[in-house]
Structure formats: C-alpha cells, structure tokens
Amino acid sequence: MILRPEKNNVPEKNLKPTPEEVHLSYTPLPGSRKVYKNGTLHADIRVPMREVALGSGSGSGSIILYDTSGPYTDGQSRVNITKGLTQLRKSWIFSRGDVEELFAPTSQYQQRRDMDPALKNVRFRKTQKPLRAKSGKNVSQMHYARRGIITPEMEFSAIREGFSPAFVRDEIARGRAILPANINHPEIEPMIIGRNFLVKINANIGNSAVSSSITEEVEKMAWAIRWGGDTVMDLSTGDNIHETREWILR
C-alpha cells in the first residue's frame, strides 16, 4: 500500500504548473470503499463516508464511518496535484451574493512574489481570483447562523457528524461551535468544531532549512488525512513557505 506520486522524486525545480505533469495515485483503504451521503436542503451536497466490510461473506454486512481523507481514497478519483482539487464550495459561496472577485491580490507581499521570476517553477498556477466580502457584508458562518440560515457548509457538517442541520446552525449561532470556511478556500470539506461534536485531530507538517520539497509536503498532507487527520497545520521553516502553503491548500 504505497502512496507516492506517479513520477517519484520530482525535483522541486521541475514541479511546473502543467495539468498533465504530476498525479497522486492511491490505493483505497483495505476492506472498505468510499460512499457518499446526499444533502436534502441542498441537493448538490455529497458527503464522503467510508463503508467498511464487517466480514468476507456476502451476509457479513458493513458499517459507515466518518471519513476526512478526501478524494484521495476514492478508487474512482485520480488527483492531479498540479491542477488542484475540485472547488467543492465555489457555487455555494457565489450563490449567497455577498462576495466579489478582485482583479489581483491586494497584498504587496503576494504581488512581489507573483512577479518574482525565481519562483516561477515552484509557484502553484492560480485557477481562481481572490474573493472578498462586498461592502457591508459579513461572510462568516456565525453571521449566517445568527440570521437563521442553514448554509450548505452547515448541512455538510451535520451529515458528517450525525446531527440535524438545525442543531449545527444553533450551536454556531450560540457560539458553542465554529465552522472554518474561508471564502478563498473553496476546496475544503466543511468541518465543525465544538463541545457537542466529534473530537478533531490536527496534524502538523512542514519543511525545514535542512530538507523537504513542495512535492514532499503535499505528500505529507495526503498521508495525514489518509490516516485520520481532520485538519492540517503547516509549520514550515525552510524555503518558499508561502508557495508551499498554497500547494497544500489547493
């Protein structure tokens, strides 16, 4: 059960943003398969779960488990890391009508790095423009919850946790739970943290001045979620930290 890019040991300098270049090929977790539960309030929601066989016989049955390993453990999926994950939440974010696209990043730091020719071969090819809330708008999940709105992110989390969407909304509105959902991270699978929800496991990864490339950091991320990490925190201290984090996010 080896988890490696199809082109092993790809040097960081050769990790060019071409869609056909580097894929991650996985074997599904043994004795199980990826299944999906659909939303009812929001029809386009598909929450990934893992169906585990309880035995080898036809009548052994199975059990459905919480699963945050993403498309990497779906036998029908082949993740192209140079193109990035599907923007799962893009339509959800735009359907609310409270965000606007920027022509380019407003951060001077980001602008300098985007124009630095030395970073050309380690920079993730951007496929989306940065978003921000429209003037006078609030795009936090708490804001929606306190207005009585059940967002797709809330229903997704409710299905994954085994609660009603209304319960998830109410816990967020009361300040007893948080649902991190940055509008510039449309790839994320929504995940709720709070006193009445499942304990979450955070995995720390990162490069150092001694070793590790962007390719290896992406692989670390994939390993972390494969074995049960709900969230991943990048603690890189080596070169190209900003670019490394962009690859991990995408």
Side-chain angles (χ1 to χ4, degrees), residues 198-233:
L198 295 171
V199 172
K200 303 303 185 296
I201 298 172
N202 181 60
N204 293 336
I205 65 173
N207 69 20
S208 72
V210 177
S211 67
S212 193
S213 67
I214 288 176
T215 305
E216 290 171 304
E217 292 309 307
V218 171
E219 190 178 3
K220 288 179 188 176
M221 175 276 298
W223 272 112
I225 62 173
R226 182 180 178 87
W227 298 118
D230 296 277
T231 58
V232 176
M233 181 182 292

Side-chain angles (χ1 to χ4, degrees), residues 9-18 21-22 121-122:
N9 303 315
V10 179
E12 184 173 323
K13 66 180 182 179
N14 291 329
L15 197 58
K16 298 177 182 179
T18 53
E21 188 171 30
V22 181
N121 289 338
V122 297

Side-chain angles (χ1 to χ4, degrees), residues 42 89-99 134 137 139-141 144 147 149-154 181 183:
H42 303 279
R89 298 174 50 239
K90 184 176 181 179
S91 63
W92 306 349
I93 294 167
F94 279 96
S95 69
R96 294 190 272 260
D98 51 12
V99 300
K134 291 181 178 178
K137 297 294 185 180
V139 295
S140 73
Q141 294 293 308
Y144 301 135
R147 293 177 60 197
I149 298 170
I150 296 174
T151 64
E153 290 88 346
M154 294 177 201
I183 59 174

Side-chain angles (χ1 to χ4, degrees), residues 18-249:
T18 53
E20 70 280 5
E21 188 171 30
V22 181
H23 294 265
L24 282 180
S25 182
Y26 291 75
T27 55
L29 292 166
S32 66
R33 67 186 183 100
K34 184 81 75 175
V35 295
Y36 294 87
K37 291 187 176 181
N38 297 322
T40 54
L41 300 178
H42 303 279
D44 60 338
I45 290 176
R46 295 178 73 241
V47 182
M49 311 291 282
R50 186 155 61 99
E51 183 179 28
V52 180
L54 297 178
S56 56
S58 59
S60 300
S62 62
I63 185 171
I64 304 295
L65 299 179
Y66 174 94
D67 179 27
T68 58
S69 59
Y72 299 97
T73 53
D74 186 335
Q76 305 302 312
S77 177
R78 189 166 176 262
V79 180
N80 185 329
I81 66 170
T82 50
K83 188 175 181 180
L85 296 173
T86 299
Q87 295 181 6
L88 172 70
R89 298 174 50 239
K90 184 176 181 179
S91 63
W92 306 349
I93 294 167
F94 279 96
S95 69
R96 294 190 272 260
D98 51 12
V99 300
E100 60 186 7
E101 287 185 330
L102 300 176
F103 177 73
T106 56
S107 162
Q108 293 183 3
Y109 174 79
Q110 177 71 70
Q111 292 172 6
R112 288 195 302 270
R113 296 194 75 83
D114 284 348
M115 292 186 293
D116 186 346
L119 298 173
K120 178 181 179 181
N121 289 338
V122 297
R123 190 183 298 124
F124 187 86
R125 186 187 67 177
K126 291 180 173 59
T127 57
Q128 65 188 58
K129 293 180 179 179
L131 303 178
R132 69 178 176 188
K134 291 181 178 178
S135 178
K137 297 294 185 180
N138 185 325
V139 295
S140 73
Q141 294 293 308
M142 177 176 278
H143 174 72
Y144 301 135
R146 288 182 172 174
R147 293 177 60 197
I149 298 170
I150 296 174
T151 64
E153 290 88 346
M154 294 177 201
E155 186 179 14
F156 189 106
S157 298
I159 295 171
R160 173 166 272 174
E161 299 271 341
F163 289 100
S164 73
F167 180 78
V168 168
R169 177 200 59 199
D170 293 346
E171 288 295 284
I172 295 171
R174 292 169 180 164
R176 292 202 295 244
I178 61 169
L179 202 170
N182 191 313
I183 59 174
N184 284 297
H185 300 169
E187 302 89 349
I188 65 169
E189 292 180 359
M191 182 271 308
I192 194 165
I193 304 170
R195 55 186 279 183
N196 289 311
F197 301 103
L198 295 171
V199 172
K200 303 303 185 296
I201 298 172
N202 181 60
N204 293 336
I205 65 173
N207 69 20
S208 72
V210 177
S211 67
S212 193
S213 67
I214 288 176
T215 305
E216 290 171 304
E217 292 309 307
V218 171
E219 190 178 3
K220 288 179 188 176
M221 175 276 298
W223 272 112
I225 62 173
R226 182 180 178 87
W227 298 118
D230 296 277
T231 58
V232 176
M233 181 182 292
D234 175 66
L235 301 177
S236 291
T237 58
D239 295 333
N240 303 319
I241 295 174
H242 187 79
E243 287 69 33
T244 298
R245 290 177 179 168
E246 185 73 6
W247 277 91
I248 292 169
L249 283 168

